[in-house]
Amino acid sequence: MGKSTRIQIINPNTSIKMTQAIGEAACQVAFADSEIIAQSPEEGVPSIEGHYDEAISAIGILELIKQGKEQQVDGHIIACFGDPALHAARELAHAPVIGIAEAAFHMASLIATKFSIVTTLPRTKIIAEHLLHQYGFERKCEKIRCIDLPVLALENDKQIAYEKLLESCQQAKMNDDIGAIVLGCGGMAEMADQVSAELEIPIIDGVRAAVKLIESLHHLGIKTSKWGDYDYPLEKL
Amino acid sequence: MGKSTRIQIINPNTSIKMTQAIGEAACQVAFADSEIIAQSPEEGVPSIEGHYDEAISAIGILELIKQGKEQQVDGHIIACFGDPALHAARELAHAPVIGIAEAAFHMASLIATKFSIVTTLPRTKIIAEHLLHQYGFERKCEKIRCIDLPVLALENDKQIAYEKLLESCQQAKMNDDIGAIVLGCGGMAEMADQVSAELEIPIIDGVRAAVKLIESLHHLGIKTSKWGDYDYPLEKL
Amino acid sequence: MGKSTRIQIINPNTSIKMTQAIGEAACQVAFADSEIIAQSPEEGVPSIEGHYDEAISAIGILELIKQGKEQQVDGHIIACFGDPALHAARELAHAPVIGIAEAAFHMASLIATKFSIVTTLPRTKIIAEHLLHQYGFERKCEKIRCIDLPVLALENDKQIAYEKLLESCQQAKMNDDIGAIVLGCGGMAEMADQVSAELEIPIIDGVRAAVKLIESLHHLGIKTSKWGDYDYPLEKL
Amino acid sequence: MGKSTRIQIINPNTSIKMTQAIGEAACQVAFADSEIIAQSPEEGVPSIEGHYDEAISAIGILELIKQGKEQQVDGHIIACFGDPALHAARELAHAPVIGIAEAAFHMASLIATKFSIVTTLPRTKIIAEHLLHQYGFERKCEKIRCIDLPVLALENDKQIAYEKLLESCQQAKMNDDIGAIVLGCGGMAEMADQVSAELEIPIIDGVRAAVKLIESLHHLGIKTSKWGDYDYPLEKL
Amino acid sequence: MGKSTRIQIINPNTSIKMTQAIGEAACQVAFADSEIIAQSPEEGVPSIEGHYDEAISAIGILELIKQGKEQQVDGHIIACFGDPALHAARELAHAPVIGIAEAAFHMASLIATKFSIVTTLPRTKIIAEHLLHQYGFERKCEKIRCIDLPVLALENDKQIAYEKLLESCQQAKMNDDIGAIVLGCGGMAEMADQVSAELEIPIIDGVRAAVKLIESLHHLGIKTSKWGDYDYPLEKL
Amino acid sequence: MGKSTRIQIINPNTSIKMTQAIGEAACQVAFADSEIIAQSPEEGVPSIEGHYDEAISAIGILELIKQGKEQQVDGHIIACFGDPALHAARELAHAPVIGIAEAAFHMASLIATKFSIVTTLPRTKIIAEHLLHQYGFERKCEKIRCIDLPVLALENDKQIAYEKLLESCQQAKMNDDIGAIVLGCGGMAEMADQVSAELEIPIIDGVRAAVKLIESLHHLGIKTSKWGDYDYPLEKL
């Protein structure tokens, strides 16, 4: 097996700094012959912190999915922890599409019987909870914790953000009867290694996890199913 | 109690005929002093038949929600059976927002221990299933049946659509151990009475159900909670 | 729509003061042309605070349902938070029958993603939990809290009861990650507005909710299904 | 261990023939020094075939529980497959109380990974389903089948009833991927052995199962918990 | 009924002291004409405190099951709280086979609506949780508590073990909204009576519970189903 | 990233032909610089077709895991669809350990909303069902189908086995409302490509899926958590 993989990573918010950071995290784990194309929509929301932001971000995500498809990428990643527009993107694409929340959940459940999530604002907890439930990981996740900082603070106040993240992860490790911690925001990707080194418990970053899952599916020759409800959107009458 | 209610009904697809039919169904059950404002987005998809159509429709729905809010309507209805953008709309609005799928599920569960859903295309079944699960009605719904016609056929081939709908409902009644049938498409609203009369089993149309729920919440003075995750979208830094 | 609705509200305990208070709460939200008939059984338990009280109350409830049916009311409400004899009442009646617990759960889930319940005695928590589970709201309810006062104290020590209720609701608001609070006893109906005004979070009272749901079903022409397990009780051989 | 056990078996309907048959089935499996007291209420419903019959039967059941308690029986059995008034009876009693549905479910799950239920009328299926769900056996029960005969036909047309029961059990054995069959009516108790002998698959009769569970609890010295929600009914103010 | 029952109790670890204690607990509740054969494997693990210990213990358990079968015992008990090799043992045996965890869960749920478990080490909690879930008792168990002592400490430091057990049970009683406590280790069997006497809440010991369930099934003539997936292991080609 | 991965694949049965076939399937998808070490225990069962075979296979699997650990492999695969001894192996190992059933479930759920499983004998269905439930995929799996051939027939009667497999997969595709099919036996690995080519629906083989997941975890530097219940087995006192 020596197939190269072109991977489109879509940061659904318009923060270019975050797109770069996500792209860099992806590159760290991608194979030498994989190509990472990190993109964000030109117009949209600067950060995604609720149901509305998510719904609004769908247009930009799907537009980028179409572009990625034209460029014949081998897989698409939606790099926002709410996995916005995931099912819709799978209808558009034939190459596999993976959200970073699901990627992290899948990986965490392979190395621990339980995990906790550490995310940003309390109001986004319900989004993670809905996802856990839809995907079937609700019994694997012991607790959803928040650092109570907005997404963009991860870029703007890195030191404070890191300290709060570390503190929440430490509390999760000591109190939640878990074996791993899932980072609940794409913007936390760059802090994963440092937290992991300090706490000595596996820290799962969905961006990195998604890169390997896309490469895996591509090497297996498994694409998004076009039989059933992920078939291409219907032409209208 | 004699409070009038201004209700915005949003048909998320661009079919004007369907918007009118939905508006008429709503008017049939609204109070004399309620006002029904049936609207559809100027741009968007002509029909919603999958994850992609749903995601794309969110922009138009949310734009109309904003307009309705400016016009100080007392409640908003999203008249597509997948309840697209429902959580997002609740963040934007303070007045209550109701999707026709949830409206139908709630009403059906008040008069029968089990119901079946009859919807349009097989590929939309997963959307209904995800909703049943998220809302907690998965044990109340015995089966999701399809008439295997696209949404727009409900407008264009009314006779065939009616016959297929009647046949599916009849099969549900005879085979599914149920007490009620939920119509799985806003475009079926106008056929509800006729099917109900013919089959002698309660037929629940989400459009009508949603109108009464909005009026009820308005009269109770209960609005969408602004405490917690339905609070208004965050201003960005 | 201008159809009047005759609604029978059954307080399953024998406290006449509570029956009156429930009737008044109902009148506050009923339409001008609705008629509220608040009743309680002549014999029975003075308050319902456990499985035994509930089981014993069924006879009185069902006797009143029969009377209501003879008087051709348009809907029946069972105004005790355990929804006692609900399924049985639906077998007897053709008009819709609604319990105040289910009414509150349905309404709360339309305006918040999560709610907590504040009820009376700890021993009644299991009854609420069984209902949440049977109805499918177990994932919507975050916590069941108690004020640890018997039901009749709501009538006899109104001030203490109100203070304890307010305190529990306040704790729920601050600690439970919720958007609404459900009052877990018919006897709390008269305190709903005051708590709601003080706490600025939606407080759902099942009595008021049930009145609007009955009016809604009546206006929709939807009755208890007589197809299936809610059919009239069988004549015995 | 040589403790004798006095067991009150309550047939909640007024059919004396059925009470006798249930008592005889109980005696077949009770220990030599156990005493079986089979009783039915003087007034009540001749058969229990729905929610209403169940609710109405509670008074008679609870009256008999009180009598059994005064006579210091060591355990009570409620011999109707819907386990009516079970939680209420446990509040009244200190000795253990067991319903025949739960008894059968517990025993079946000890000797097979899955079972099917064969009961009487289709309208009673929802009662069994609610119980399976409340008790936690919903994943153990593959299917609920009906012989479509009323309860009293089990006494009046024994031959037809037996043939229909045998046929349903045979279909369950061949089609349901199960290891055992639960009889869904107290009136089927006397047919259990014959069906079992003919079909060579374990047939679980709740009456017999309940007798052994009561004897077991009695010998273990385990009584209904009086700590928590099964504490005695509250004295009213 | 006066049938004697020969019961094989398998302590899956190699601690002879524990085997004896388990045998004695069993004898306390067995009928006078029951015979208790308490056994442990000659080789194996000295205590079972995790997934690995459980998996390794299977060989010894199954070897003993075969011996018990040759000796024509009437039932087998696996006396380790993780119910190791239970399904496998049922394939081998025709006589009923019961694990002490499931036995305790079944009995507890007959006398209380909720129970907590008190077990040994935190790492074994996940095993109990998996069992609760597989058996369907996840909604009956409120909390799994640990005394944080290894299994063998129950034999070696009896006083300390008892004090910690008592403390945990006391906390469960006061804080968990439960009606009964399940002891989460075969080695706690001998302390059950003392804890129960001191705390005045039912304490369920799975060893004793299993003895009575085996006697019950034997007297009922119900054996492990040989129809379906518990059929004897297949002969290989 | 250019890290090589040494992967131990354990075929838990003693069929050398099957071990070779599994090793070959693994090699097809492994990276050029990955090393596949396909092994089977010297003693054990020739095929795994039930609970007993699984339990017995644990010793051999765990012995090989120890050997693999000494040889410092980077990951272990348990190549039997019941994922026998998976949790135990994770306690022993630090490198990641993956079962082929879980691998297939994870991959299938990334490219389809629903899948069906096609396995060998009906008696193994319950094993798959227990796994689906423990892992949280129970709502993703629509149906478990069987070809009704023993495992070894996959090696001995390849043509018949292939035809039956193809037929079952075809039925799943046409009737189950799914988007992918999971092969329910390690011995089917070699037929995956041919079935997939013929049916034009994604066919997921757990062996291949597990190889890529091990490589992914290795490249991510994520190992089995040693914090919590997957910590190394305890030294005994």
Side-chain angles (χ1 to χ4, degrees):
Chain A
M1 288 285 333
K3 223 161 153 190
S4 74
T5 315
R6 299 181 67 232
I7 304 174
Q8 180 191 39
I9 303 192
I10 299 168
N11 170 22
N13 72 37
T14 57
S15 161
I16 288 171
K17 270 202 286 184
M18 196 170 288
T19 307
Q20 286 172 336
I22 287 171
E24 280 160 30
C27 286
Q28 281 172 29
V29 299
F31 289 115
D33 58 357
S34 288
E35 181 186 352
I36 299 293
I37 307 162
Q39 295 176 295
S40 49
E42 288 185 23
E43 286 178 58
V45 281
S47 62
I48 296 182
E49 291 157 317
H51 305 293
Y52 175 76
D53 293 344
E54 282 215 349
I56 285 297
S57 74
I59 293 285
I61 293 168
L62 296 171
E63 201 50 51
L64 286 170
I65 293 279
K66 280 183 200 167
Q67 290 176 23
K69 196 176 162 191
E70 279 163 22
Q71 294 161 22
Q72 293 180 294
V73 302
D74 300 308
H76 315 260
I77 293 171
I78 299 174
C80 168
F81 200 74
D83 294 354
L86 179 62
H87 297 301
R90 285 185 181 147
E91 278 189 9
L92 273 188
H94 193 192
V97 186
I98 291 180
I100 63 169
E102 61 170 355
F105 299 156
H106 285 284
M107 287 303 194
S109 67
L110 292 174
I111 52 109
T113 52
K114 296 264 181 152
F115 57 84
S116 283
I117 299 171
V118 178
T119 185
T120 53
L121 294 174
R123 69 185 297 160
T124 66
K125 287 167 70 173
I126 192 71
I127 295 176
E129 194 175 320
H130 283 170
L131 290 182
L132 288 166
H133 214 266
Q134 189 185 109
Y135 299 156
F137 293 104
E138 71 274 17
R139 297 187 298 269
K140 305 290 175 210
C141 179
E142 188 62 27
K143 201 175 170 80
I144 307 175
R145 291 173 175 271
C146 306
I147 60 171
D148 212 351
L149 283 182
V151 171
L152 293 180
L154 295 172
E155 286 304 322
N156 300 336
D157 304 296
K158 286 196 182 185
Q159 190 52 36
I160 289 174
Y162 177 73
E163 281 162 23
K164 282 183 172 271
L165 180 61
L166 189 67
E167 187 194 349
S168 276
C169 289
Q170 175 71 4
Q171 286 175 353
K173 181 185 171 185
M174 300 315 295
N175 300 311
D176 294 357
D177 267 329
I178 55 166
I181 295 168
V182 163
L183 298 184
C185 179
M188 293 171 174
E190 55 187 315
M191 303 175 186
D193 287 344
Q194 204 179 339
V195 178
S196 186
E198 195 139 355
L199 291 188
E200 296 189 336
I201 185 171
I203 304 290
I204 310 297
D205 160 39
V207 173
R208 287 174 180 82
V211 168
K212 302 316 286 184
L213 288 173
I214 286 290
E215 288 174 341
S216 294
L217 289 167
H218 179 54
H219 290 148
L220 290 168
I222 297 175
K223 300 186 177 205
T224 300
S225 177
K226 291 291 131 183
W227 180 258
D229 57 282
Y230 282 156
D231 197 4
Y232 297 114
L234 285 176
E235 297 290 316
K236 302 308 174 185
L237 297 180
Chain B
M1 288 291 328
K3 222 161 152 188
S4 74
T5 315
R6 297 181 67 233
I7 304 173
Q8 179 190 41
I9 302 193
I10 297 168
N11 170 23
N13 73 37
T14 56
S15 160
I16 289 172
K17 269 201 287 187
M18 196 171 288
T19 308
Q20 286 172 336
I22 287 171
E24 280 161 28
C27 287
Q28 281 172 30
V29 299
F31 288 115
D33 57 358
S34 288
E35 180 186 350
I36 299 295
I37 306 163
Q39 294 177 297
S40 48
E42 287 185 23
E43 285 179 58
V45 280
S47 62
I48 296 181
E49 290 157 317
H51 305 292
Y52 175 77
D53 295 344
E54 281 215 349
I56 286 296
S57 74
I59 294 285
I61 293 168
L62 296 171
E63 202 49 53
L64 287 170
I65 294 278
K66 281 183 199 167
Q67 291 176 23
K69 198 177 161 191
E70 280 162 21
Q71 294 161 22
Q72 295 181 292
V73 301
D74 300 307
H76 313 260
I77 292 170
I78 299 175
C80 168
F81 200 74
D83 293 356
L86 178 63
H87 297 301
R90 283 184 181 149
E91 277 189 8
L92 274 188
H94 192 193
V97 186
I98 291 179
I100 63 169
E102 60 169 357
F105 299 157
H106 284 284
M107 287 305 195
S109 67
L110 292 174
I111 52 108
T113 52
K114 297 264 180 151
F115 57 83
S116 282
I117 299 171
V118 178
T119 185
T120 53
L121 293 175
R123 69 184 297 159
T124 66
K125 286 167 70 172
I126 192 71
I127 295 175
E129 195 175 320
H130 283 170
L131 290 182
L132 288 166
H133 214 266
Q134 187 185 111
Y135 299 155
F137 294 104
E138 72 274 15
R139 298 188 295 270
K140 305 290 175 210
C141 179
E142 189 61 27
K143 201 178 171 76
I144 307 174
R145 291 173 174 271
C146 306
I147 60 171
D148 213 352
L149 284 182
V151 171
L152 294 180
L154 296 172
E155 287 303 323
N156 300 336
D157 305 296
K158 287 196 183 187
Q159 189 52 34
I160 288 174
Y162 177 73
E163 280 163 23
K164 280 179 173 275
L165 180 61
L166 189 67
E167 187 194 349
S168 276
C169 290
Q170 174 71 4
Q171 287 174 354
K173 181 184 172 185
M174 300 315 293
N175 301 313
D176 294 356
D177 267 329
I178 54 166
I181 295 168
V182 163
L183 297 185
C185 178
M188 292 170 175
E190 55 187 315
M191 302 175 185
D193 287 345
Q194 203 179 340
V195 177
S196 185
E198 195 139 355
L199 291 189
E200 296 190 337
I201 186 171
I203 304 289
I204 311 296
D205 160 39
V207 174
R208 289 174 179 80
V211 169
K212 302 317 286 184
L213 288 174
I214 286 290
E215 288 174 341
S216 294
L217 289 167
H218 180 55
H219 290 147
L220 291 168
I222 297 175
K223 299 187 176 203
T224 300
S225 177
K226 290 292 130 181
W227 181 258
D229 57 279
Y230 282 156
D231 197 4
Y232 297 115
L234 286 176
E235 297 291 316
K236 301 308 174 185
L237 299 179
Chain C
M1 288 286 334
K3 222 159 152 190
S4 73
T5 315
R6 299 181 67 231
I7 305 173
Q8 180 190 40
I9 302 192
I10 298 168
N11 170 22
N13 72 38
T14 56
S15 160
I16 288 172
K17 271 202 287 186
M18 195 169 289
T19 306
Q20 285 172 337
I22 287 171
E24 281 161 28
C27 286
Q28 280 171 31
V29 298
F31 288 114
D33 57 358
S34 287
E35 181 186 350
I36 299 294
I37 307 163
Q39 294 177 298
S40 49
E42 288 186 20
E43 286 178 58
V45 279
S47 63
I48 296 181
E49 290 157 318
H51 305 293
Y52 175 76
D53 293 345
E54 281 215 348
I56 286 297
S57 74
I59 293 285
I61 293 168
L62 296 171
E63 201 50 51
L64 286 169
I65 294 279
K66 280 184 198 165
Q67 292 175 21
K69 196 177 162 190
E70 281 163 20
Q71 294 160 22
Q72 294 179 296
V73 300
D74 300 307
H76 313 261
I77 292 170
I78 300 175
C80 167
F81 199 74
D83 294 355
L86 178 63
H87 296 301
R90 285 186 180 146
E91 277 189 10
L92 273 187
H94 192 193
V97 186
I98 292 180
I100 63 169
E102 60 169 355
F105 299 156
H106 284 285
M107 287 305 194
S109 66
L110 291 174
I111 52 107
T113 53
K114 297 265 181 149
F115 57 83
S116 282
I117 299 170
V118 178
T119 185
T120 54
L121 294 174
R123 70 185 298 160
T124 67
K125 285 167 72 173
I126 192 70
I127 295 175
E129 194 175 320
H130 283 171
L131 291 181
L132 286 166
H133 215 265
Q134 188 185 108
Y135 299 156
F137 293 103
E138 71 275 15
R139 297 188 296 269
K140 305 290 175 209
C141 180
E142 189 60 28
K143 201 175 170 77
I144 306 174
R145 291 172 174 272
C146 307
I147 59 171
D148 212 352
L149 284 182
V151 171
L152 294 179
L154 295 172
E155 286 304 323
N156 300 336
D157 304 296
K158 286 196 183 185
Q159 190 52 33
I160 289 174
Y162 177 73
E163 281 163 22
K164 282 181 171 274
L165 180 61
L166 189 68
E167 187 194 351
S168 276
C169 289
Q170 174 71 3
Q171 287 175 353
K173 181 184 172 186
M174 299 315 294
N175 301 313
D176 294 358
D177 267 329
I178 53 166
I181 295 168
V182 163
L183 298 184
C185 178
M188 293 170 175
E190 55 188 313
M191 302 175 186
D193 286 345
Q194 203 179 340
V195 178
S196 186
E198 195 138 355
L199 291 187
E200 295 188 337
I201 186 172
I203 304 289
I204 311 297
D205 160 39
V207 173
R208 288 174 180 82
V211 168
K212 301 315 287 184
L213 288 174
I214 287 289
E215 289 174 341
S216 293
L217 289 167
H218 179 55
H219 290 147
L220 290 169
I222 298 175
K223 301 188 175 201
T224 300
S225 178
K226 291 291 131 184
W227 180 258
D229 57 280
Y230 282 156
D231 198 3
Y232 297 114
L234 285 176
E235 297 291 316
K236 302 308 176 188
L237 299 180
Chain D
M1 288 284 338
K3 223 162 152 188
S4 73
T5 314
R6 299 181 64 232
I7 304 172
Q8 180 189 39
I9 302 192
I10 299 168
N11 170 23
N13 73 38
T14 55
S15 160
I16 288 172
K17 270 201 288 186
M18 196 170 289
T19 307
Q20 286 172 338
I22 287 171
E24 279 161 27
C27 287
Q28 281 170 31
V29 298
F31 288 115
D33 57 359
S34 288
E35 180 186 351
I36 298 295
I37 306 162
Q39 294 177 296
S40 49
E42 287 185 21
E43 286 179 58
V45 278
S47 63
I48 296 182
E49 291 156 318
H51 304 293
Y52 175 77
D53 295 343
E54 281 215 349
I56 284 298
S57 74
I59 293 285
I61 293 169
L62 295 171
E63 202 49 53
L64 286 170
I65 293 278
K66 281 184 199 167
Q67 291 176 21
K69 196 178 162 190
E70 281 163 19
Q71 294 159 24
Q72 295 179 296
V73 300
D74 301 306
H76 313 261
I77 293 170
I78 300 175
C80 167
F81 199 75
D83 293 355
L86 178 63
H87 296 300
R90 284 186 181 147
E91 278 190 8
L92 273 188
H94 193 193
V97 186
I98 291 180
I100 63 168
E102 61 170 355
F105 298 155
H106 284 283
M107 287 305 194
S109 67
L110 293 174
I111 52 106
T113 53
K114 296 264 179 151
F115 57 83
S116 283
I117 299 170
V118 178
T119 185
T120 53
L121 294 174
R123 69 184 298 160
T124 67
K125 286 167 71 172
I126 192 70
I127 295 174
E129 195 176 320
H130 282 171
L131 291 181
L132 287 166
H133 214 265
Q134 187 185 109
Y135 299 156
F137 293 104
E138 71 275 16
R139 297 187 296 269
K140 305 289 175 211
C141 179
E142 189 62 28
K143 202 176 169 78
I144 307 174
R145 292 174 173 271
C146 305
I147 59 172
D148 213 352
L149 283 182
V151 171
L152 294 180
L154 295 172
E155 287 303 323
N156 300 336
D157 305 294
K158 287 195 182 186
Q159 190 51 34
I160 288 174
Y162 176 73
E163 280 162 23
K164 280 179 172 274
L165 180 61
L166 188 68
E167 188 194 349
S168 276
C169 289
Q170 174 70 5
Q171 286 174 355
K173 181 184 172 187
M174 300 315 294
N175 300 312
D176 293 357
D177 267 330
I178 54 166
I181 294 167
V182 163
L183 298 184
C185 180
M188 292 170 174
E190 56 187 313
M191 302 175 186
D193 287 344
Q194 203 178 342
V195 177
S196 187
E198 195 139 355
L199 291 187
E200 295 189 337
I201 186 171
I203 303 290
I204 311 297
D205 159 40
V207 173
R208 287 174 180 81
V211 168
K212 302 316 287 184
L213 288 174
I214 286 290
E215 289 174 341
S216 294
L217 289 167
H218 179 55
H219 290 147
L220 290 168
I222 297 175
K223 301 189 176 201
T224 300
S225 178
K226 291 292 131 182
W227 181 258
D229 57 280
Y230 282 156
D231 197 5
Y232 298 114
L234 286 176
E235 297 291 316
K236 300 309 174 185
L237 299 180
Chain E
M1 287 289 331
K3 225 160 150 187
S4 74
T5 314
R6 297 182 66 232
I7 304 173
Q8 180 191 38
I9 303 192
I10 298 168
N11 170 22
N13 72 38
T14 56
S15 160
I16 288 172
K17 269 201 288 185
M18 197 171 287
T19 307
Q20 285 172 337
I22 286 171
E24 280 161 28
C27 287
Q28 280 172 30
V29 299
F31 288 115
D33 57 358
S34 287
E35 180 185 350
I36 299 293
I37 306 162
Q39 294 177 297
S40 48
E42 287 186 21
E43 286 178 58
V45 281
S47 62
I48 296 182
E49 291 157 317
H51 305 293
Y52 175 77
D53 294 343
E54 282 214 348
I56 286 298
S57 74
I59 293 285
I61 294 168
L62 296 171
E63 202 48 53
L64 286 170
I65 293 278
K66 281 185 200 166
Q67 291 176 22
K69 197 177 161 190
E70 279 163 21
Q71 294 160 22
Q72 295 180 293
V73 301
D74 300 307
H76 313 261
I77 293 170
I78 299 174
C80 167
F81 200 73
D83 294 355
L86 178 62
H87 297 301
R90 284 185 181 147
E91 277 189 10
L92 273 187
H94 192 193
V97 186
I98 291 180
I100 64 169
E102 61 170 355
F105 299 155
H106 284 284
M107 286 305 194
S109 67
L110 292 174
I111 52 108
T113 53
K114 296 264 180 152
F115 57 83
S116 283
I117 299 171
V118 178
T119 185
T120 54
L121 294 174
R123 70 185 297 159
T124 66
K125 285 166 72 172
I126 191 71
I127 295 175
E129 194 175 321
H130 283 171
L131 290 182
L132 288 166
H133 214 265
Q134 189 185 109
Y135 299 155
F137 293 104
E138 72 274 17
R139 297 188 296 269
K140 305 290 175 209
C141 179
E142 189 61 25
K143 201 176 171 77
I144 307 174
R145 291 172 175 272
C146 306
I147 59 171
D148 213 352
L149 284 182
V151 171
L152 293 180
L154 295 172
E155 286 303 323
N156 299 337
D157 304 296
K158 287 197 183 184
Q159 190 51 34
I160 288 174
Y162 177 73
E163 281 162 23
K164 282 182 172 269
L165 180 61
L166 190 66
E167 188 195 349
S168 276
C169 289
Q170 175 71 4
Q171 286 174 355
K173 180 184 173 186
M174 299 315 293
N175 301 312
D176 294 356
D177 266 331
I178 54 166
I181 294 168
V182 163
L183 298 184
C185 179
M188 293 170 174
E190 55 186 314
M191 303 175 185
D193 286 345
Q194 204 178 339
V195 178
S196 186
E198 195 138 354
L199 290 188
E200 295 189 336
I201 186 171
I203 303 289
I204 311 296
D205 160 40
V207 174
R208 288 174 179 81
V211 168
K212 302 316 287 184
L213 288 174
I214 286 290
E215 288 175 341
S216 294
L217 288 167
H218 180 55
H219 290 147
L220 290 169
I222 297 175
K223 300 186 175 204
T224 299
S225 177
K226 290 293 131 183
W227 180 257
D229 57 280
Y230 281 156
D231 198 3
Y232 297 115
L234 285 177
E235 296 291 316
K236 303 306 176 186
L237 297 181
Chain F
M1 288 285 336
K3 226 163 152 185
S4 74
T5 314
R6 299 181 67 231
I7 304 173
Q8 180 190 40
I9 302 193
I10 298 168
N11 170 21
N13 73 38
T14 57
S15 160
I16 288 172
K17 269 200 286 184
M18 197 170 288
T19 306
Q20 286 172 334
I22 287 171
E24 280 161 28
C27 287
Q28 281 171 30
V29 298
F31 288 115
D33 58 358
S34 288
E35 182 186 349
I36 299 294
I37 306 162
Q39 294 177 297
S40 49
E42 287 185 23
E43 285 178 58
V45 279
S47 63
I48 296 182
E49 291 157 316
H51 305 293
Y52 176 76
D53 294 344
E54 282 215 349
I56 285 298
S57 75
I59 293 286
I61 293 168
L62 296 171
E63 202 48 53
L64 287 170
I65 293 278
K66 280 184 199 167
Q67 291 176 22
K69 196 177 162 190
E70 280 162 23
Q71 295 159 22
Q72 295 180 292
V73 300
D74 299 307
H76 314 259
I77 292 170
I78 299 175
C80 168
F81 200 74
D83 293 355
L86 178 63
H87 296 301
R90 285 187 181 146
E91 278 190 8
L92 273 188
H94 193 192
V97 187
I98 292 180
I100 62 169
E102 61 170 355
F105 299 157
H106 284 284
M107 287 304 194
S109 67
L110 293 173
I111 51 108
T113 52
K114 297 264 180 149
F115 56 83
S116 284
I117 299 170
V118 178
T119 186
T120 53
L121 293 174
R123 69 186 296 160
T124 67
K125 286 167 72 172
I126 192 71
I127 295 175
E129 194 175 320
H130 283 171
L131 291 182
L132 288 166
H133 214 265
Q134 189 185 109
Y135 299 155
F137 293 104
E138 72 275 16
R139 298 188 295 270
K140 305 289 175 210
C141 180
E142 188 62 27
K143 200 175 172 80
I144 306 174
R145 292 173 174 270
C146 306
I147 59 170
D148 214 352
L149 283 182
V151 171
L152 293 180
L154 295 172
E155 287 303 324
N156 300 336
D157 305 295
K158 286 196 184 187
Q159 191 51 34
I160 288 173
Y162 177 74
E163 280 163 23
K164 281 181 173 271
L165 180 61
L166 189 69
E167 187 194 350
S168 276
C169 290
Q170 174 70 5
Q171 287 174 353
K173 180 184 172 186
M174 300 315 294
N175 301 312
D176 294 357
D177 267 330
I178 54 166
I181 294 168
V182 163
L183 298 185
C185 179
M188 292 170 176
E190 56 188 313
M191 301 175 187
D193 286 344
Q194 203 179 341
V195 178
S196 186
E198 195 140 356
L199 290 188
E200 296 190 335
I201 185 171
I203 304 289
I204 311 297
D205 160 39
V207 173
R208 288 174 179 83
V211 168
K212 302 316 286 183
L213 288 174
I214 286 290
E215 289 174 340
S216 294
L217 289 167
H218 180 54
H219 289 147
L220 291 168
I222 298 175
K223 299 188 177 203
T224 300
S225 178
K226 291 292 129 182
W227 180 259
D229 57 281
Y230 282 156
D231 198 3
Y232 297 114
L234 286 176
E235 297 292 315
K236 301 308 176 188
L237 298 181

